[in-house]
Amino acid sequence: MEAQTAALVMGAGGLAVSAHVLWRAGARQRRQHGWPWWVATLAVSTLVWPLCIWAALRPSTAGNILAAAWLLGWPMAWLAGWRRFHARQRLPGQGWLDGSAWALATLASPWWPWQAVVLLHVYVTAVLCVGRARTADHGLGWTAVAVAAAALPAMFALLEAASAPLDRLLPWWAGLAALWACSLLALASMAERTEQELRASRRRLQVLAGTDPLTGVSNRRHFEAATARRRLQSGAPPPVLLLLDIDHFKQINDHLGHATGDRALRLVGQCILDALRDSDLAVRLGGDEFALLLHGATLPQAMQVAERVVLQVQRLASNHRLPVLSLSFGLVPWRHDEALDEALHRADRALYEAKRQGRSRAVAAHGDDAAPAFSESQRLGLDSP
């Protein structure tokens, strides 16, 4: 009797510890759906499980009903938790179907207790196995294994293979072990989801830290880091660097207001992003000044990109309650042995030349900063009023 009492205390204590650990883990992070069901299942089992073992040692109708109710109840409660945990990736079946299966099994348990237990465990195992194929949660599949293992002693009892008192306890001990395993799997799944959310949050923060909030293009810090990484790649052809700004932008702010200026900047940023490839880079350097880096492009191809940006900006300006906008570009091939600031300074000289030639124009520069040679010069779109 002392050994049996010690086993009961150890089993109930293990369930209580599992409930406490799972509760503490869920309470310290963002509340996850399904977690209350799992904690409640462990808490109720802490109280009910010793009564089930006591009933198994003293066979009676009431004891069998109580024990069968626990064996039928905890897998269904655990399944309800999984349904809420994976609410976005729906598991097969519905909650009303789970409730109907549990109600039918409970009604049949006074006459066919082991049959009801086995069939309900098979149902839960099937739902979890099919659900594992729809999710990337390994805990879901291992929970199915634990529930299936918990049903095996009940199948032995159904075949009347259990005769000794110790053998009659196997179904309840198997349920206890399966519940312990499920609590560890639930804890692992919660930790895995938390880690995934942290990684996703870190990626979002990295994107936000490197993005200009007004226009949606990169900011200078991200641009410098990205160009530094790309310059380490040897053998690639030199990219073309474009520097551009909005003509007469100060007049837009002074005469039409800063809200209009912000709309103009957002429109230019969006048109730039629409015109670039995934391998290209765009940055807002400050004010109305932007820079583009086109990898593997020639100067004529860069001129075409500038033309596309200008035409798109002028086509959409009226939709954004803006006057006709014009842009000026300075283009330079970025040499491999050249620092970013040096290339930007040469592009700025080309941009100044585009302004000197009348704005709404793209001008390409060759040579060094001391003696630039302005070669290609192309008119872009319409003049702004």
Side-chain angles (χ1 to χ4, degrees):
M1 182 62 66
E2 292 181 358
Q4 294 173 358
T5 302
L8 290 175
V9 172
M10 290 177 59
L15 288 173
V17 170
S18 300
H20 178 73
V21 170
L22 196 60
W23 176 77
R24 289 291 298 273
R28 291 179 176 180
Q29 56 184 293
R30 185 181 65 84
R31 189 65 55 84
Q32 299 188 17
H33 299 295
W35 166 76
W37 284 79
W38 296 330
V39 174
T41 302
L42 290 168
V44 172
S45 298
T46 302
L47 302 175
V48 173
W49 185 81
L51 299 177
C52 296
I53 300 300
W54 178 82
L57 294 174
R58 296 166 176 79
S60 65
T61 302
N64 289 336
I65 294 176
L66 176 65
W70 180 73
L71 289 176
L72 293 172
W74 80 258
M76 299 305 298
W78 215 260
L79 176 59
W82 277 116
R83 286 197 183 280
R84 286 154 180 80
F85 190 73
H86 288 291
R88 295 183 179 179
Q89 298 170 310
R90 301 181 66 88
L91 302 186
Q94 299 288 338
W96 65 266
L97 185 60
D98 298 344
S100 300
W102 176 81
L104 291 175
T106 302
L107 291 175
S109 61
W111 298 278
W112 304 287
W114 300 122
Q115 291 89 334
V117 169
V118 170
L119 290 177
L120 200 64
H121 279 64
V122 170
Y123 169 80
V124 174
T125 302
V127 171
L128 295 176
C129 287
V130 176
R132 171 63 183 87
R134 299 182 181 180
T135 67
D137 194 335
H138 299 288
L140 201 63
W142 285 111
T143 301
V145 173
V147 173
L152 292 178
M155 293 180 65
F156 295 150
L158 178 61
L159 297 175
E160 297 182 351
S163 56
L166 183 60
D167 295 334
R168 290 198 301 269
L169 292 177
L170 285 178
W172 290 275
W173 282 106
L176 175 67
L179 193 51
W180 279 342
C182 289
S183 63
L184 293 176
L185 294 169
L187 190 63
S189 294
M190 290 169 58
E192 182 179 3
R193 175 167 291 185
T194 301
E195 183 180 358
Q196 292 173 354
E197 292 173 348
L198 288 175
R199 287 198 297 265
S201 298
R202 190 178 298 112
R203 287 192 296 267
R204 288 193 296 269
L205 289 175
Q206 289 174 347
V207 171
L208 291 174
T211 303
D212 175 59
L214 179 62
T215 62
V217 302
S218 300
N219 58 25
R220 180 151 189 163
R221 183 178 66 174
H222 177 264
F223 187 73
E224 291 176 347
T227 53
R229 290 194 300 268
R230 290 175 184 270
R231 284 177 60 80
L232 294 177
Q233 301 174 358
S234 60
V240 177
L241 180 65
L242 294 82
L243 194 64
L244 69 115
D245 65 10
I246 303 174
D247 295 329
H248 306 295
F249 182 71
K250 185 177 184 303
Q251 295 181 15
I252 295 176
N253 277 335
D254 292 343
H255 298 160
L256 301 177
H258 288 278
T260 302
D262 288 346
R263 288 201 303 273
L265 291 172
R266 282 194 292 266
L267 175 60
V268 172
Q270 184 58 54
C271 292
I272 288 174
L273 293 176
D274 292 341
L276 298 186
R277 304 163 297 178
D278 292 338
S279 59
D280 299 328
L281 289 173
V283 58
R284 181 187 176 197
L285 297 175
D288 64 323
E289 196 170 47
F290 295 82
L292 313 179
L293 191 64
L294 309 182
H295 291 274
T298 63
L299 281 176
Q301 291 172 337
M303 289 283 189
Q304 294 175 4
V305 171
E307 179 73 19
R308 286 201 303 270
V309 172
V310 171
L311 291 177
Q312 185 76 345
V313 167
Q314 294 184 344
R315 185 178 68 86
L316 298 177
S318 61
N319 296 340
H320 292 76
R321 294 175 288 123
L322 293 170
V324 177
L325 300 176
S326 67
L327 308 177
S328 296
F329 289 77
L331 293 74
V332 294
W334 187 7
R335 299 188 296 265
H336 284 296
D337 59 346
E338 188 176 27
L340 175 60
D341 288 340
E342 296 173 355
L344 285 173
H345 193 263
R346 290 198 302 121
D348 188 59
R349 294 285 297 271
L351 176 60
Y352 180 81
E353 178 65 18
K355 299 287 188 181
R356 191 190 67 80
Q357 294 183 18
R359 294 183 171 85
S360 190
R361 179 175 296 275
V363 173
H366 300 273
D368 57 21
D369 186 49
F374 304 114
S375 55
E376 292 86 349
S377 179
Q378 177 179 327
R379 288 273 294 107
L380 301 173
L382 303 172
D383 288 326
S384 62

